[in-house]
Amino acid sequence: GENVEQHPSTLSVQEGDSAVIKCTYSDSASNYFPWYKQELGKGPQLIIDIRSNVGEKKDQRIAVTLNKTAKHFSLHITETQPEDSAVYFCAATFGNEKLTFGTGTRLTIIP
Amino acid sequence: NAGVTQTPKFQVLKTGQSMTLQCAQDMNHNSMYWYRQDPGMGLRLIYYSASEGTTDKGEVPNGYNVSRLNKREFSLRLESAAPSQTSVYFCASSEKGGYTFGSGTRLTVV
């Protein structure tokens, strides 16, 4: 089955700087890669996703890049703000079902 | 629009007790899932249901059973709780990929 590795496990950045979280996946058939943000005491919330037919997708300060050849994808957050502090999870799947999640990155924005 | 509703939010069980975690979604999604979340291990799939009337095991099904009661509801049952089942449990539903998660049930087994 699919295996997703996520790095780093913790990340601290100064407010206003950029943050990058990286994930690798094992199943070359995977074609859907979402990212989730989990705030304290809440369930994960989808923030951005990308399908295998594109290499990059942006939504305001958030972007995701996908390298199918290397089987890795990354989340980029620019101009970080205190409300970006949370745990972020990447995931991968083939055919829109049974997401396999990474182990999460705890992002802390330092004011 | 409630999305995915889980009950209860917190529960303490004694070893050997049984309980059912309830989940309901109002988005008319076909697929529903139960995950557990443990520190440093991310979200691991317990069981899922691709459609009403079907259920399948995920990565960590031992000690659990599920029921897809109808399209809206997907319950998770612990028949004889063990301390290793102390965790936060999340229900989710999806249609064409994007998951919507509930707010979770924090379960402690003593």
Side-chain angles (χ1 to χ4, degrees):
Chain A
E2 177 65 276
N3 183 51
V4 177
E5 295 189 358
Q6 183 172 347
H7 299 282
S9 57
T10 60
L11 179 61
S12 296
V13 301
Q14 291 289 142
E15 182 177 353
D17 287 350
S18 296
V20 180
I21 303 170
K22 300 181 179 181
C23 289
T24 60
Y25 60 98
S26 61
D27 188 349
S28 58
S30 288
N31 61 357
Y32 176 64
F33 308 92
W35 285 88
Y36 288 83
K37 176 183 181 181
Q38 185 177 25
E39 297 176 333
L40 193 62
K42 297 183 178 180
Q45 184 173 21
L46 179 68
I47 56 171
I48 194 167
D49 56 11
I50 191 168
R51 297 192 184 273
S52 58
N53 58 342
V54 298
E56 183 176 4
K57 183 177 179 180
K58 289 184 179 179
D59 183 2
Q60 299 181 16
R61 297 186 296 108
I62 294 173
V64 56
T65 59
L66 172 65
N67 183 326
K68 289 179 59 180
T69 302
K71 291 190 287 187
H72 66 70
F73 56 112
S74 300
L75 177 70
H76 304 253
I77 306 174
T78 59
E79 301 173 12
T80 53
Q81 300 170 5
E83 54 264 35
D84 295 329
S85 292
V87 178
Y88 292 82
F89 291 96
C90 62
T93 188
F94 171 76
N96 298 331
E97 292 195 3
K98 288 195 305 176
L99 287 173
T100 298
F101 286 86
T103 50
T105 296
R106 182 174 299 278
L107 175 62
T108 302
I109 307 302
I110 304 167
Chain B
N1 190 355
V4 177
T5 303
Q6 288 184 238
T7 56
K9 293 189 181 301
F10 301 94
Q11 184 71 49
V12 178
L13 289 178
K14 294 183 178 179
T15 298
Q17 287 185 319
S18 62
M19 79 161 296
T20 300
L21 281 65
Q22 306 288 351
C23 175
Q25 52 96 4
D26 61 3
M27 296 168 287
N28 203 37
H29 286 170
N30 280 311
S31 300
M32 297 186 74
Y33 312 84
W34 276 104
Y35 284 85
R36 61 177 289 172
Q37 184 174 33
D38 302 293
M41 302 190 74
L43 292 146
R44 293 183 293 168
L45 182 64
I46 304 171
Y47 270 94
Y48 71 102
S49 172
S51 63
E52 184 180 354
T54 68
T55 61
D56 286 287
K57 295 179 180 179
E59 180 184 356
V60 288
N62 291 344
Y64 305 96
N65 284 301
V66 291
S67 296
R68 184 73 183 269
L69 304 171
N70 47 56
K71 193 170 186 179
R72 290 187 64 249
E73 299 173 285
F74 189 39
S75 62
L76 179 71
R77 183 161 179 84
L78 287 71
E79 290 291 351
S80 179
S84 60
Q85 294 177 305
T86 293
S87 188
V88 181
Y89 292 84
F90 287 100
C91 177
S93 69
S94 75
E95 195 74 30
K96 299 180 181 179
Y99 278 27
T100 300
F101 282 89
S103 57
T105 296
R106 184 174 294 274
L107 175 67
T108 302
V109 182
V110 298

